[in-house]
Amino acid sequence: MNLLTAEHLEKSYTAERILLEDTAFSLQESEKVGVIGVNGMGKSTLLKIIAGMEEPDAGSVIMGNHVKTAYLEQTPQLEDTDTILKAALKGLEGQDMVLESEARSMLSQLGFSKVDQPVKFLSGGQKKRIALVNVLLQPVEILILDEPTNHLDSEMSAWLEEYLTRFRGALVMVTHDRYFLDRVADRIVEVEYGKIYSYPGNYADYVALKMQRQSMEQASERKRKSILKKELAWLARGARARSTKQKAHIQRIEDMLAAEGPVEEKKVELSSLSSRMGKKTIEVKELSKSYGDQKLIQDFTYIFLREDRIGIIGPNGCGKSTLLKIILGQIVPEAGSVEVGETVRIGYFSQDNSHMEEEMKAIEYVREAAEYVDTGEGKISASMLMERFLFDGTMQWTPIGKLSGGERRRLYLLRILMDAPNVLILDEPTNDLDIRTLTILEDYLDSFAGIVIAVSHDRYFLDRMAERIFAFEQEGRLQQYEGNYSDYLQARKERGFEESGIFSGDKKTENRKSKTAGGGKEAASGKEGSGGKKEKLRLNEKRLKFTYKEQREYDTIEEEMAKLEETSDMLEQKIMENATNSLKLSELMEEKAKIETELEQTMERWVYLNELAEKIEAQNG
């Protein structure tokens, strides 16, 4: 059942800043849709339009009868005088003890133990989590969530994943958490250059399908240019539009000339910018820090190696950002010391970029760091570097105050990299950065000739970047794990098994294993008893042959494969023709996926039948 249909959507803020251009979006019952795209392309605007919070310049949004929505905005505003619990229950009619109990449970899952405190003194991230609870409690058919995973630690994200997977209604969410998209979404929608592209499946499916779509578009464009070249040669020979047929021919050529080719995807590109580092890096000795009765860091010692890739993890409020600020010299520890080498040049990407002057032009902000920078491939200007970071000529002269939250984060990151640091300290770098920028940042860090220290809840980012994990565990103790985030999870799991006695310390388990293994080995060794050899002889004597059904299959299967391949090619063409029609595209891609599965199964069957035919032929000599 179709819950929502948006057609011919148009939205722009200036002539140069067109976010949506004659595009469409639809939502089916129980669908889980992840919305992605480069920051500033219009993701949040799309959510506001379908939530009824903003009107499109043109087009319509049609909602099913009695369909209700709940919307989590990117930066929610709460009443300062409300308590945490009251804010979580705000606007919910007919509140009762059951609803209050559910609210308390959700708040506990998201890190709130004292729900009677006023929200006035809470951080932006804490307010976002309270607003998330308020939205999840609402009895609606459609949840619309803008960046719900921002400010959630790994355990909170896992809880939200499970909750949304079980949610029976439809979901539309903007998130840059790629693991979250993989586990929750069953359709990915990309907002790109004014258009909305729809891909069935999760994030991994999207990556494959987008590459396929771009390949088809490029192939079609090559074909268009090839035909156009021939047609222009025909015109050059002096063709005259004397007949109706010739006029139509010339009109087709003019239409081909006017047609726009596929928009090439701009990429965020940045060569490694870093300064030379001497022998001494950063040495942390016996650090300790507490706030009141809470011990954040206890007796932490570590010497950072020249190309360390460190991920720091732990629940919200455990002391991760405090540790970074101690290393930076912004907070003084109660005990211990931090020694920084003379050649160390730190670039600090903090969670807060509110210090950016809103009236300043974007290019002026970058030029404050440097007018030119050495990339290792030669000097490059600030303007050219901004182009590589998706800030075109117009955007470079845009005041910072008019940039989206994600665009400001990208600009802030570029400014830090322009300083050519040899140590990068990143505090939640993935918050508000779009997936494309994250991917290029990860590639950049691969080649970065220096130390990277990152606090992050983004599991994908930590898997991609980290080579060593420090986890805040018992009362400020940092436990060191080798490898990335997945390696950390595996190590934790193994530690848990060892503590519960499932490995070698458990004699009963060992005995059970040995008995099972012994039985298996005895069976495998062929000790069947006196009847076993006779049975083997009977099997060997049995002659191979096709059944009637197999013979029919063998005779027709190649023709069947050819038809399936032809259908697949036809669907590819239709997908290309309907690239901006999200509903039709979704149907076509689903149909093509079924055909591809059928073709794969048919090919496997073909291999089996051919192998059987070869054995029969060899047997018959």
Side-chain angles (χ1 to χ4, degrees), residues 130-334:
I130 295 167
L132 174 61
V133 171
N134 179 260
V135 168
L136 296 181
L137 286 170
Q138 296 184 40
V140 297
E141 287 71 38
I142 303 175
L143 282 175
I144 303 170
L145 310 178
D146 198 348
E147 292 291 359
T149 57
N150 272 8
H151 312 290
L152 300 187
D153 62 32
S154 300
E155 289 184 6
M156 293 174 188
S157 289
W159 171 81
L160 184 60
E161 277 174 17
E162 186 180 347
Y163 182 92
L164 293 177
T165 303
R166 288 187 285 106
F167 176 63
R168 292 183 179 179
L171 167 68
V172 185
M173 61 177 175
V174 168
T175 181
H176 303 138
D177 188 324
R178 288 155 286 184
Y179 279 162
F180 197 87
L181 285 168
D182 253 352
R183 290 163 185 169
V184 176
D186 54 31
R187 178 157 68 100
I188 300 293
V189 161
E190 184 170 28
V191 183
E192 188 175 44
Y193 304 112
K195 301 298 180 186
I196 293 172
Y197 297 93
S198 182
Y199 302 87
N202 60 14
Y203 179 75
D205 297 322
Y206 150 78
V207 172
L209 288 169
K210 180 169 184 180
M211 287 179 65
Q212 187 178 341
R213 175 178 73 79
Q214 288 177 329
S215 296
M216 285 190 288
E217 285 179 348
Q218 288 162 5
S220 178
E221 178 64 6
R222 285 194 296 271
K223 188 175 180 181
R224 182 182 76 87
K225 287 179 176 178
S226 176
I227 294 170
L228 187 57
K229 186 178 179 181
K230 293 175 184 176
E231 298 289 24
L232 289 172
W234 176 78
L235 277 178
R237 288 198 297 269
R240 296 288 182 269
R242 292 178 183 140
S243 68
T244 303
K245 190 174 180 180
Q246 283 178 319
K247 286 179 182 178
H249 192 164
I250 292 171
Q251 183 60 51
R252 282 200 304 274
I253 296 171
E254 289 174 350
D255 290 343
M256 289 176 73
L257 281 166
E260 293 183 4
V263 178
E264 288 196 18
E265 187 175 278
K266 292 181 181 178
K267 293 182 178 178
V268 184
E269 296 176 353
L270 194 62
S271 302
S272 181
L273 313 172
S274 60
S275 307
R276 188 191 65 82
M277 188 188 300
K279 288 184 179 179
K280 187 168 183 178
T281 58
I282 300 174
E283 298 180 8
V284 176
K285 296 178 183 176
E286 300 176 350
L287 284 187
S288 291
K289 181 65 180 177
S290 301
Y291 282 116
D293 296 333
Q294 186 181 6
K295 294 176 181 177
L296 296 181
I297 303 164
Q298 284 195 71
D299 195 28
F300 176 58
T301 297
Y302 185 72
I303 298 173
F304 289 91
L305 306 177
R306 288 170 65 88
E307 293 196 0
D308 255 346
R309 298 292 186 269
I310 305 295
I312 300 174
I313 63 173
N316 287 328
C318 68
K320 301 184 299 296
S321 295
T322 300
L323 175 60
L324 296 188
K325 289 175 180 177
I326 290 174
I327 293 171
L328 288 162
Q330 296 179 3
I331 292 178
V332 178
E334 290 159 2

Side-chain angles (χ1 to χ4, degrees), residues 59 95 145 237 362 369 407 428 432 483 515 550 571 588 593-594:
Q95 296 174 21
L145 310 178
R237 288 198 297 269
E407 286 168 333
E428 293 293 357
D432 297 318
K515 285 179 183 178
E550 286 173 337
L571 287 168
L588 289 167
K594 288 178 182 176

Side-chain angles (χ1 to χ4, degrees), residues 48-68:
K48 287 175 185 175
I49 288 172
I50 64 176
M53 306 299 291
E54 197 167 308
E55 290 292 323
D57 298 336
S60 61
V61 179
I62 302 167
M63 194 89 68
N65 291 332
H66 311 297
V67 173
K68 294 178 182 176

Side-chain angles (χ1 to χ4, degrees), residues 59-113:
S60 61
V61 179
I62 302 167
M63 194 89 68
N65 291 332
H66 311 297
V67 173
K68 294 178 182 176
T69 66
Y71 169 58
L72 175 70
E73 59 185 315
Q74 200 171 70
T75 310
Q77 302 298 317
L78 305 182
E79 293 287 338
D80 283 347
T81 54
D82 284 347
T83 63
I84 292 170
L85 182 61
K86 188 176 178 181
L89 292 167
K90 200 82 169 182
L92 294 166
E93 300 299 330
Q95 296 174 21
D96 54 25
M97 293 300 293
V98 174
L99 190 63
E100 182 177 320
S101 175
E102 194 173 353
R104 287 177 181 274
S105 174
M106 285 185 174
L107 287 166
S108 175
Q109 292 283 358
L110 295 179
F112 297 101
S113 55

Side-chain angles (χ1 to χ4, degrees), residues 22-54:
D22 192 22
T23 194
F25 175 82
S26 65
L27 184 66
Q28 303 294 314
E29 192 174 14
S30 301
E31 265 198 310
K32 304 289 193 290
V33 178
V35 181
I36 65 173
V38 172
N39 289 329
M41 283 286 184
K43 303 184 299 294
S44 294
T45 300
L46 174 64
L47 261 59
K48 287 175 185 175
I49 288 172
I50 64 176
M53 306 299 291
E54 197 167 308

